[in-house]
Amino acid sequence: RPAVRLDPDPDGTYVFRARSFTRRTGWSYRCRVNLRQGWTSCTCRDFRFRRRGEGTLCKHLERALVTARKAERSRVSAA
C-alpha cells in the first residue's frame, strides 16, 4: 500500500500514512485531509489527546495538508 495517495476519495478525502521517526518500532499513523469539507484527522496521540479540540494540527497533519493542497492545485491545473 503506498504511503501517499495523490488521488482523493470520491468525497475529496486524501489519505496519508505517516511514519513515526521518534519511535524506533516502526509505528505509523493514518492522516486524513478533506479540503472540500475542511476537516482533518490523525491517529497519533498528539492529535487525539492534545490538539483535536484546539483546532491546531499535529506535525503529521501539517505535512499532509501541504501535500494535499499541492495535489489539489495540480488536479485543478490539469483539468
Side-chain angles (χ1 to χ4, degrees), residues 50-62:
R50 286 185 280 233
R51 300 183 186 266
R52 179 188 246 164
E54 298 175 16
T56 57
L57 302 175
C58 63
K59 62 186 175 185
H60 314 108
L61 281 173
E62 287 174 355

Side-chain angles (χ1 to χ4, degrees), residues 24-44:
R24 298 192 185 273
T25 59
W27 205 274
S28 67
Y29 307 109
R30 186 170 153 199
C31 301
R32 296 170 44 125
V33 175
N34 189 307
L35 298 172
R36 294 179 198 165
Q37 297 175 8
W39 59 263
T40 58
S41 70
C42 184
T43 59
C44 77

Side-chain angles (χ1 to χ4, degrees), residues 4-76:
V4 177
R5 228 183 43 221
L6 295 181
D7 291 318
D9 288 342
D11 71 346
T13 301
Y14 288 89
V15 179
F16 301 90
R17 188 179 65 211
R19 203 172 97 219
S20 173
F21 290 100
T22 57
R23 295 183 184 219
R24 298 192 185 273
T25 59
W27 205 274
S28 67
Y29 307 109
R30 186 170 153 199
C31 301
R32 296 170 44 125
V33 175
N34 189 307
L35 298 172
R36 294 179 198 165
Q37 297 175 8
W39 59 263
T40 58
S41 70
C42 184
T43 59
C44 77
R45 292 176 57 109
D46 187 40
F47 181 76
R48 286 186 291 146
F49 296 112
R50 286 185 280 233
R51 300 183 186 266
R52 179 188 246 164
E54 298 175 16
T56 57
L57 302 175
C58 63
K59 62 186 175 185
H60 314 108
L61 281 173
E62 287 174 355
R63 184 67 190 140
L65 191 57
V66 168
T67 303
R69 285 178 177 152
K70 285 182 183 177
E72 200 65 17
R73 280 194 301 270
S74 294
R75 289 172 50 79
V76 169

